[in-house]
C-alpha cells in the first residue's frame, strides 16, 4: 500500500484521492500538520526536499506534485487507459487541461484567497479578475463538452473538479458560467471519490466562515 502524505482540505491532495479511488488503489493516508511544521521535519524533507503536499511513497518510490501523482497512479495501476489515454492527441489535450488547472485556474484561487485566509490581507480586485478570466477560459473549453478533455472522464476532470469545488466553498459564483456549471454538476455524479472530496472541501470551508 502506498503512503500518502496529505491534508484533506487541500485541492491537490483531493485530486489524488479521487484518482486513486478511480483506479482502485488504497492509500495509507498520513495527515501532515503544516501549522506544527511537520512538513519541515528532517524525515519528511528526506522524502520530499521541496516539503510540499501531497507526497506519495509507493514501495520506496517518492513523488510529489499532485498532477504528476495522478498520471503515475493511472499509468501504473489503471486497468484501462481511459483516464489518461495513450493516444498522443487525446493525452496532449488532457495535459493542457492539467497545466491550465495548475498554472491558471488553481493559481488564481491561491493568489486571491490565500493572502486573505492565511495573512488576513485585504481582497485584491485585480486577482479576482484573474479568477473570472480563468473561469471564462474553462467555460470556453467546455462549450458543447460533457467532459474537460475528450468524451469521457479523465484525470483532467478529476483535477479540475477538485479545484472548482474549492471555489464553491469559497462562495465564488460558478453558476455564472453555464458550461462550467453543467460540467460540474455532472462531474459530482460521475467522479469516483466525490464524497470524500466534498468532505475535504467542507473542512476547508471553515476558513471562509
Amino acid at each position: 500500500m502506498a503512503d500518502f502524505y496529505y491534508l484533506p482540505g487541500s485541492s491537490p491532495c483531493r485530486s489524488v484521492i479521487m484518482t486513486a479511488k478511480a483506479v482502485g488503489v488504497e492509500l495509507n493516508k498520513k495527515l501532515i500538520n503544516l501549522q506544527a511544521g511537520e512538513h519541515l521535519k528532517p524525515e519528511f524533507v528526506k522524502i520530499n526536499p521541496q516539503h510540499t503536499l501531497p507526497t506519495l511513497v509507493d514501495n520506496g518510490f517518492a513523488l510529489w506534485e499532485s498532477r504528476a501523482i495522478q498520471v503515475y497512479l493511472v499509468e501504473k495501476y489503471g486497468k484501462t487507459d481511459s483516464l489518461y489515454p495513450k493516444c498522443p492527441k487525446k493525452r496532449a489535450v488532457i495535459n493542457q487541461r492539467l497545466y491550465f488547472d495548475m498554472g491558471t485556474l488553481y493559481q488564481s484561487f491561491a493568489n486571491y484567497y490565500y493572502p486573505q485566509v492565511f495573512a488576513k490581507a485585504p481582497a485584491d480586485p485585480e486577482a479576482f479578475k484573474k479568477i473570472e478570466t480563468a473561469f471564462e477560459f474553462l467555460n470556453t473549453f467546455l462549450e458543447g463538452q460533457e467532459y474537460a478533455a475528450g468524451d469521457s472522464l479523465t484525470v483532467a476532470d478529476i483535477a479540475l473538479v477538485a479545484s472548482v469545488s474549492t471555489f464553491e466553498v469559497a462562495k465564488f459564483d460558478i453558476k455564472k458560467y453555464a458550461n462550467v456549471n453543467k460540467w460540474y454538476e455532472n462531474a459530482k455524479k460521475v467522479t469516483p471519490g466525490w464524497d470524500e472530496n466534498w468532505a475535504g472541501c467542507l473542512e476547508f470551508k471553515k476558513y471562509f466562515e
Side-chain angles (χ1 to χ4, degrees):
M1 190 189 299
D3 289 336
F4 183 59
Y5 299 86
Y6 83 118
L7 271 175
S10 153
S11 169
C13 292
R14 288 184 273 109
S15 70
V16 174
I17 288 168
M18 287 187 282
T19 303
K21 186 91 170 175
V23 296
V25 170
E26 198 174 340
L27 299 172
N28 180 31
K29 293 176 191 150
K30 294 176 175 279
L31 197 60
I32 295 289
N33 186 332
L34 297 182
Q35 278 74 29
E38 289 180 359
H39 61 305
L40 300 174
K41 288 184 174 178
E43 55 267 35
F44 187 70
V45 173
K46 189 176 178 184
I47 294 167
N48 174 356
Q50 231 179 315
H51 48 80
T52 53
L53 296 177
T55 294
L56 181 84
V57 181
D58 186 17
N59 293 312
F61 172 67
L63 185 64
W64 52 98
E65 291 295 346
S66 63
R67 296 155 194 87
I69 298 171
Q70 285 183 272
V71 168
Y72 168 76
L73 288 174
V74 174
E75 291 195 314
K76 182 163 185 190
Y77 295 107
K79 292 172 183 63
T80 72
D81 70 348
S82 67
L83 290 170
Y84 195 60
K86 291 184 174 63
C87 167
K89 288 182 179 176
K90 288 181 179 177
R91 184 168 283 197
V93 175
I94 292 167
N95 288 340
Q96 186 276 326
R97 302 296 194 254
L98 289 173
Y99 299 150
F100 167 78
D101 179 49
M102 180 183 187
T104 303
L105 184 67
Y106 183 70
Q107 191 61 50
S108 74
F109 182 94
N111 290 347
Y112 180 71
Y113 290 107
Y114 286 169
Q116 296 176 64
V117 168
F118 299 115
K120 306 299 178 211
D124 177 356
E126 288 305 310
F128 187 78
K129 283 181 192 170
K130 289 189 175 171
I131 293 176
E132 293 180 312
T133 300
F135 268 85
E136 284 161 12
F137 285 140
L138 183 57
N139 202 59
T140 301
F141 300 160
L142 290 166
E143 181 67 43
Q145 301 292 320
E146 195 171 2
Y147 295 98
D151 54 9
S152 62
L153 186 80
T154 68
V155 290
D157 294 284
I158 297 173
L160 287 163
V161 83
S163 295
V164 171
S165 56
T166 313
F167 279 100
E168 183 182 357
V169 293
K171 301 184 175 71
F172 181 76
D173 186 8
I174 296 160
K175 289 186 172 63
K176 281 201 310 186
Y177 306 90
N179 297 333
V180 176
N181 191 55
K182 184 180 174 187
W183 162 84
Y184 182 48
E185 290 304 317
N186 181 60
K188 290 179 190 179
K189 296 175 191 146
V190 301
T191 307
W194 165 259
D195 289 346
E196 188 170 353
N197 174 71
W198 187 243
C201 284
L202 295 179
E203 194 159 318
F204 193 67
K205 188 179 181 181
K206 65 188 177 193
Y207 291 111
F208 297 95
E209 291 172 339

